[in-house]
Amino acid sequence: MSLRVKDTLRQAANVVFALTQIFTGYFLTALGVGTSVGAGSAAARTPVTPAAYAFSIWGLIFLFCLLYAGYQAAPSRRDDPLLRRVGWFTAGTFFLNTVWILIAELMTIDWPTAVVITAILACSLGALFRLAGNDRRLTRKEQWLVRTPISLMAGWLSAAVFVNFAAVVRLHDPGYFGLPETFFSVMMIVLASAFALFVLIKAKGDALYGLAVVWALAAIIAANTLQITNIAVAATAGVMIAAVAAALVAVRIEN
């Protein structure tokens, strides 16, 4: 297969799957099939589940995914080196996100969704790290239309993977492996934040990635103060916000 054909397929895959990840859920809901992702998430709520408003970030992510898909699809950008670096990773992210939505709505949140969301995170991080390793400085247009969707997606998913895992554990073992619910929840928040700190360093202090993680942690505080009362979980999320913010500043200064 020629490089030109591969580039065309990459562009088409990004457009198609950027659309399917947005409209699959709406299509199933319109048909009355399965359970909406929102309802499934609410049914699987744990102390590490962010407050419902936090999921509105998907509207912003999807918007920028569409803008990115249109930007990279231009014939003049078929052989763009930056888009070649990240394009298959973004297409994989959009495709797997579509698969996750299908599984979550048709089968509810369980081990299959945990596996798929981990794969989505891996693809989004592949794109993020390739952006960080790019030799030249991104243009303003590339910052907005390429980096923004990748960074926001990777940041939110870095938290969502642990939220999904906690929900699955609760579903199959309400005793959380014999651990107190609060202790298990605190452990999940610390692990998610430690992972985010690692990514921040590898991604050279990507600000939007850090902000997406902070958004998720702040919504965990809201959930554990306004919806339920779990001061230990809320306090841990607050400490982790400070840690992520400090790391973000430190890494950006160093780089």
Side-chain angles (χ1 to χ4, degrees):
M1 186 182 295
S2 70
L3 184 58
R4 183 180 181 85
V5 172
K6 289 181 180 178
D7 286 336
T8 301
L9 287 175
R10 168 178 48 79
Q11 289 178 301
N14 274 284
V15 172
V16 170
F17 295 130
L19 290 169
T20 59
Q21 71 172 348
I22 296 172
F23 294 110
T24 296
Y26 295 115
F27 180 70
L28 291 175
T29 300
L31 291 177
V33 177
T35 304
S36 71
V37 173
S41 178
R45 175 169 293 280
T46 72
V48 298
T49 303
Y53 75 82
F55 294 90
S56 64
I57 194 174
W58 277 113
L60 188 62
I61 292 172
F62 284 157
L63 171 62
F64 276 100
C65 285
L66 282 178
L67 293 175
Y68 162 78
Y71 173 79
Q72 62 84 46
S76 61
R77 299 190 182 93
R78 181 181 292 114
D79 58 355
D80 184 299
L82 177 68
L83 296 174
R84 277 179 172 166
R85 285 176 66 86
V86 303
W88 284 114
F89 285 101
T90 55
T93 299
F94 302 157
F95 168 72
L96 288 169
N97 204 25
T98 302
V99 172
W100 188 92
I101 292 168
L102 283 170
I103 295 173
E105 296 210 347
L106 296 177
M107 297 174 57
T108 199
I109 294 174
D110 207 331
W111 287 116
T113 60
V115 172
V116 174
I117 200 172
T118 302
I120 304 171
L121 175 60
C123 281
S124 66
L125 290 179
L128 185 70
F129 293 155
R130 282 183 166 249
L131 277 180
N134 186 54
D135 293 332
R136 68 172 176 80
R137 187 180 183 87
L138 299 183
T139 65
R140 179 170 296 183
K141 186 175 290 187
E142 289 168 339
Q143 289 280 3
W144 279 103
L145 300 180
V146 181
R147 179 181 290 280
T148 297
I150 291 172
S151 300
L152 290 177
M153 179 82 82
W156 175 257
L157 288 171
S158 291
V161 162
F162 291 89
V163 173
N164 198 146
F165 177 75
V168 173
V169 169
R170 178 182 177 274
L171 175 66
H172 289 279
D173 183 5
Y176 296 99
F177 306 125
L179 300 172
E181 182 179 63
T182 295
F183 179 84
F184 178 83
S185 301
V186 166
M187 183 175 66
M188 286 294 99
I189 293 171
V190 171
L191 287 174
S193 301
F195 179 78
L197 291 173
F198 165 77
V199 174
L200 271 177
I201 294 170
K202 288 278 291 181
K204 300 180 180 179
D206 188 292
L208 287 176
Y209 173 89
L211 287 174
V213 173
V214 168
W215 173 263
L217 290 171
I220 291 175
I221 295 176
N224 284 275
T225 53
L226 301 177
Q227 296 175 1
I228 60 176
T229 302
N230 194 321
I231 301 303
V233 171
T236 301
V239 171
M240 292 301 103
I241 286 176
V244 170
L248 179 58
V249 172
V251 175
R252 288 183 70 84
I253 290 175
E254 184 178 339
N255 288 279

